[in-house]
Structures are given as C-alpha cells and as structure tokens.
Amino acid sequence: MALDDKKALVLAANLFEDTELLYPKLRLAEEGMHVTVASMDGGPTTGKSGHGPLPADASVEDVKEADFDVLVIPGGFAPDAFRRSEAVLELVRAFDAAGKPIAFICHAGWVPISAGIIKGRRATSFSAIKDDMVNAGCDWVDEETVVDGNLISARHPGDLGPWCKAIIAALES
C-alpha cells in the first residue's frame, strides 16, 4: 500500500467524539498505515456516544513525535483534557516544529490554541469555538476542511471524508 511505511498517532481521552476518532483510525489503517492510539494514562477510553472501552497502545507520556508521521486529534469533550496536559501540548509543539501534519477536528481546535501554534494560521473548527480560535489569532474560515502548511482542520463529523482525504494527501506528498 502507498502509506505502509507511515505511522499515525491518534490521541484518545474519555468522551472523544466516537466517529472523529474511529473513522480516521480505520481509514488510515486501510491505507496501510500503522496507527497507534495514545490515551492520557495508557488505559482504555470510552467515546461520548458509548463506543468502548477502546484500548490504548500507549500513554501520551510515552510517545514522541520522532516516531510518527502524523498526529490526529479527535473532538468531542476529549480536547478539554488534551489541552490541560503539558505532555500533549509538548507533543503538538514538537509535531509543529518538525513540520509534520497535525490533523484536528471539531472542538480539537482547542489543542493547537493551548499549544500556542494557531496564531497567524488559517483553520476551521466547530462553530461553537470560533471565538476561541479567532481570539487566539487564527484566521478562522467556515469550510469543510482547511489545510494551512502542516495543519489540517475540519468542522465536525460531516467533514470526516474530506478531512481524511487531506490527511492522506499530506502524507503522500
């Protein structure tokens, strides 16, 4: 497969938006990628619609940017936990410094805000956090998927198809 030499890191925390974690996890694996799910403590998590327990392969404390080609951050209520974790924020900053794709969707826009990497960048998110994105210095747009350098953002589960296509395209280039 085209991406069988690539590795994806997908973050997980309780109350993740089920489809926003599961769809890219399965879609990237379908392309031949090795997908690692890292939870806050290395334990299983459960989605806000009840999917789970989803086993984790690692803890966010135990993974490093150098071992992966892309970081995927699902939405739901999980981003509220991600943005309060210094380990997650350091990981996001490391991916950004390396120029590696960081894909976030829905409320996951909070994570690049808290990591301090969104200022001056173009992105989208769920409309409820538009003000947060704008106040952090983001050029926020209402589009299904936005690619700005290594940042790949989408608004909500209805954008999963175009969002995953953009992630795959970034890894193929």
Side-chain angles (χ1 to χ4, degrees), residues 43 90 96:
E90 287 176 12
D96 192 52

Side-chain angles (χ1 to χ4, degrees), residues 20 105-106 125-127 142 144 154-160 163:
E20 293 174 358
I105 186 168
C106 201
S125 66
F126 190 66
S127 60
D142 185 13
E144 63 186 12
R155 301 170 300 186
H156 49 66
D159 300 334
L160 283 165
W163 185 57

Side-chain angles (χ1 to χ4, degrees), residues 40-59:
M40 302 302 287
D41 61 3
T45 57
T46 301
K48 72 178 202 175
S49 295
H51 183 86
L54 175 74
D57 303 302
S59 155

Side-chain angles (χ1 to χ4, degrees), residues 39-168:
S39 69
M40 302 302 287
D41 61 3
T45 57
T46 301
K48 72 178 202 175
S49 295
H51 183 86
L54 175 74
D57 303 302
S59 155
V60 295
E61 301 269 345
D62 297 329
V63 295
K64 39 188 203 269
E65 162 274 320
D67 295 332
F68 299 95
D69 300 291
V70 61
L71 176 63
V72 178
I73 311 171
F77 299 120
D80 193 42
F82 298 148
R83 70 182 176 161
R84 291 181 282 141
S85 165
E86 192 54 40
V88 168
L89 299 179
E90 287 176 12
L91 197 57
V92 170
R93 290 181 198 115
F95 269 86
D96 192 52
K100 292 181 180 178
I102 301 169
F104 55 95
I105 186 168
C106 201
H107 284 76
W110 278 333
V111 182
I113 289 172
S114 293
I117 66 163
I118 202 77
K119 186 175 184 178
R121 310 287 292 274
R122 189 169 180 264
T124 194
S125 66
F126 190 66
S127 60
I129 68 164
K130 173 187 176 183
D131 290 348
D132 299 330
M133 301 282 284
V134 170
N135 290 335
C138 175
D139 176 15
W140 188 90
V141 293
D142 185 13
E143 296 176 11
E144 63 186 12
T145 298
V146 176
V147 177
D148 183 351
N150 64 317
L151 299 185
I152 305 167
S153 57
R155 301 170 300 186
H156 49 66
D159 300 334
L160 283 165
W163 185 57
C164 284
K165 284 179 183 179
I167 295 168
I168 292 164

